[in-house]
C-alpha cells in the first residue's frame, strides 16, 4: 500500500508509540483488503465501548492506549455504553459494572472522544454530507450513513475506528470506492407499507434472501426514522452496510438510470411481510417491559409517542432509549414530565442490547424494533413480542 512520507514517519515511530500502533493497525487492514492508499476522513464513530461487550480486556486496552497519550484528531463520537451514565442506579445496574463502564468512558473522553454515546450520531451533531469519507463502526449508523446520507464508510471494528480517529485516515477500499457501492439485486416491493413493522419486515425478507446490495423499488414512505430502523434491521439480519431505494436514497438515481442489468431480482409482497413478522417475534400478551429506541429514537419519535398516549397512561413501563443530547432536549420541553406521569422512562447513553438487561430479570420484551428482534433473543436471552408502536400503546394504555 502506498504511504506518504509523513505516513511512513508515523509508521516508523517518529511521532510516538501510540500513533505508530494506530498506523500499524490501519496498514495491516489496508493490506488485507488490498487498499492502494490511506485517505482522510472527517469523522469517526466508535463502537465496542459497553463493558458488557468488551469486558476487562477491552477496558484495559483502551486505558493503556489513553495512558500512553492517545488523542483523536477528528470529531469522534462514542456508541452506546452499557448503562445510562447518570441514572444507572435507577436501572438496577451493579456497582462493579458501573465503575468499569465509567472507566471506559472516562478514558475515551480523555482521548477527546465526544460522549454522545449513541448509534444515531447524525441526530445530534455528527452529520456528514453526501460523498464525505468517514470511519464509523456501529452497523445501523454505518448503513444509515452510506444509504440515507450518501456518505462513504466501511463498517469499522472498534479498534480500527479508534485507530482512524487517532490518525485521521482510513484505508481506501470497500465502500469508499463508488464502484463497490453499486446495487446487484433488484427488489420489487408489491404492496403498501402501513407501519414501521411492515418496513422492518421488508428488510428482514430482503436480508433472508440475499447478501447482495439491494436496489429497492415500490416503497411508498419518505421518513428518516423508518429508514433508520429499516437499515438497522437489514444490517442485523445479514450484515449489509448499504442499500438503495428508488426515489428515496441519494445514490439510487446515480446507479440506476437504466444502465444496470440486474442478474438477481426478487419480488416481495404483503403476504411475505405478514409471514416475516410472525417469524421475527413471538406471540404473547404480557411482557416485563416495553422497549423502544433501537436504533436510538429521534426527538420526533418521542414527541409522537407522547401524543399517541394522550391523556392515558401505560399499565406496563415503557423504556425509550436515546442519546443524551436528545434526552436533554426533551427535558427542556414539557414532554419528559408528561411521559413520566404516563409510565414512560427516557434512558440515555445505552441501548436494549448492550445494557446487561438479562441481569435485571427481564425475560420478555415488547418492541417495535426490527433489529431488537434479532439481538434481544441472542444477546440478552429475552423473548420478543414485535408490534408497531400504535398497537403497543393501544394494548397497554389505560
Ligand atoms: Fe443502537 Fe443498540 Fe440498537 S447500538 S441500533 S440501540 S442494538
Amino acid at each position: 500500500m502506498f504511504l506518504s512520507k509523513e505516513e511512513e514517519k508515523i509508521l516508523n515511530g517518529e511521532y510516538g508509540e501510540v500513533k505508530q500502533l494506530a498506523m500499524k493497525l490501519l496498514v495491516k487492514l489496508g493490506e488485507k483488503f488490498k487498499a492502494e492508499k490511506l485517505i482522510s476522513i472527517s469523522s469517526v464513530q466508535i463502537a465496542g465501548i459497553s463493558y458488557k461487550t468488551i469486558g476487562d480486556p477491552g477496558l484495559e486496552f483502551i486505558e493503556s492506549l489513553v495512558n500512553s497519550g492517545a488523542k483523536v484528531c477528528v470529531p469522534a463520537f462514542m456508541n452506546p455504553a452499557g448503562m445510562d451514565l447518570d441514572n444507572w442506579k435507577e436501572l438496577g445496574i451493579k456497582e462493579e459494572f458501573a465503575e468499569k463502564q465509567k472507566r471506559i468512558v472516562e478514558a475515551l473522553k480523555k482521548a477527546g472522544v465526544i460522549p454522545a454515546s449513541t448509534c444515531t450520531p447524525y441526530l445530534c451533531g455528527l452529520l456528514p454530507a453526501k460523498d464525505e469519507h468517514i470511519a464509523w463502526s456501529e452497523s445501523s449508523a454505518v448503513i444509515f450513513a452510506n444509504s440515507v446520507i450518501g456518505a462513504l464508510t466501511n463498517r469499522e471494528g472498534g479498534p480500527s475506528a479508534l485507530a482512524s480517529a487517532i490518525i485521521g485516515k482510513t484505508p481506501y477500499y470497500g465502500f469508499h470506492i463508488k464502484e463497490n457501492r453499486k446495487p446487484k439485486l433488484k427488489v420489487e416491493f408489491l404492496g403498501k407499507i402501513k407501519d414501521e413493522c411492515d418496513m422492518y419486515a421488508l428488510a428482514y425478507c430482503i436480508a433472508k434472501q440475499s447478501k447482495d446490495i439491494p436496489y429497492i423499488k415500490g416503497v411508498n414512505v419518505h421518513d428518516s426514522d423508518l429508514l433508520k430502523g429499516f437499515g438497522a434491521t437489514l444490517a442485523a439480519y445479514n450484515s449489509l452496510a448499504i442499500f438503495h431505494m428508488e426515489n428515496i436514497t441519494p445514490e439510487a438515481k446515480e446507479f440506476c438510470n437504466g444502465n444496470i442489468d440486474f442478474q438477481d431480482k426478487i419480488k416481495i409482497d404483503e403476504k411475505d411481510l405478514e409471514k416475516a413478522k410472525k417469524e421475527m417475534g413471538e406471540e404473547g400478551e404480557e411482557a416485563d417491559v416495553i422497549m423502544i429506541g433501537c436504533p436510538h429514537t429521534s426527538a420526533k419519535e418521542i414527541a409522537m409517542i407522547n401524543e399517541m398516549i394522550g391523556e392515558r397512561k401505560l399499565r406496563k413501563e415503557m423504556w425509550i432509549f436515546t442519546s443524551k443530547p436528545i434526552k436533554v432536549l426533551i427535558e427542556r420541553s414539557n414532554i419528559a414530565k408528561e411521559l413520566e406521569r404516563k409510565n414512560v422512562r427516557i434512558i440515555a447513553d445505552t441501548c436494549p442490547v448492550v445494557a446487561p438487561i438479562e441481569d435485571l430479570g427481564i425475560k420478555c420484551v415488547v418492541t417495535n424494533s426490527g433489529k431488537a428482534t434479532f439481538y434481544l433473543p441472542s444477546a440478552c436471552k429475552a423473548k420478543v413480542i414485535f408490534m408497531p408502536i400504535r398497537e403497543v400503546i393501544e394494548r397497554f394504555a389505560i
Side-chain angles (χ1 to χ4, degrees), residues 45 47 79-81 118-120 138-141 228 232-233 292-297 321-322 350-355 369 371-372 375:
Q45 192 260 355
N79 205 42
T118 184
C119 52
T120 57
E138 196 283 321
S139 67
S140 77
K228 161 168 76 84
T233 311
I292 308 296
C294 172
H296 276 173
T297 51
F321 293 88
T322 193
T350 186
C351 89
V353 174
V354 301
S369 161
K371 175 166 178 175
Y375 281 108

Side-chain angles (χ1 to χ4, degrees), residues 213-230:
I213 301 172
Y215 176 80
I216 306 151
K217 278 170 76 87
V219 174
N220 58 312
V221 294
H222 286 78
D223 180 290
S224 58
D225 287 316
L226 286 184
L227 292 170
K228 161 168 76 84
F230 175 87

Side-chain angles (χ1 to χ4, degrees), residues 127-193:
L127 178 62
K130 181 172 178 293
D131 293 337
E132 200 169 310
H133 291 278
I134 56 177
W136 288 15
S137 51
E138 196 283 321
S139 67
S140 77
V142 166
I143 197 167
F144 190 91
N146 274 327
S147 318
V148 183
I149 301 172
L152 302 101
T153 181
N154 288 318
R155 184 171 164 181
E156 300 292 338
S160 70
L162 192 52
S164 284
I166 292 168
I167 302 293
K169 295 187 177 183
T170 193
Y172 184 55
Y173 75 96
F175 295 123
H176 289 285
I177 299 170
K178 276 274 175 180
E179 183 67 18
N180 298 335
R181 300 167 67 88
K182 275 189 183 167
K184 295 215 169 67
L185 169 76
K186 184 170 170 187
V187 179
E188 211 164 324
F189 175 57
L190 310 164
K192 206 163 181 270
I193 298 291

Side-chain angles (χ1 to χ4, degrees), residues 195-295:
D195 55 43
E196 71 273 33
C197 290
D198 273 0
M199 189 76 176
Y200 310 154
L202 174 61
Y204 172 93
C205 290
I206 298 169
K208 287 284 170 179
Q209 293 189 57
S210 176
K211 280 191 183 304
D212 285 336
I213 301 172
Y215 176 80
I216 306 151
K217 278 170 76 87
V219 174
N220 58 312
V221 294
H222 286 78
D223 180 290
S224 58
D225 287 316
L226 286 184
L227 292 170
K228 161 168 76 84
F230 175 87
T233 311
L234 205 51
Y237 277 97
N238 78 357
S239 312
L240 262 175
I242 188 168
F243 67 89
H244 303 290
M245 211 173 257
E246 186 186 46
N247 297 330
I248 294 176
T249 59
E251 287 174 312
K253 221 185 212 136
E254 258 171 63
F255 289 128
C256 290
N257 49 4
N259 59 1
I260 290 198
D261 182 21
F262 289 101
Q263 300 287 314
D264 292 320
K265 297 176 192 167
I266 57 172
K267 288 188 177 161
I268 294 168
D269 61 23
E270 289 179 9
K271 273 197 203 125
D272 298 317
L273 300 193
E274 292 313 311
K275 185 168 171 277
K277 283 187 273 187
K278 287 203 175 84
E279 289 168 8
M280 293 168 82
E282 296 189 40
E283 295 289 325
E285 282 297 314
E286 280 309 321
D288 298 309
V289 66
I290 303 161
M291 287 189 176
I292 308 296
C294 172

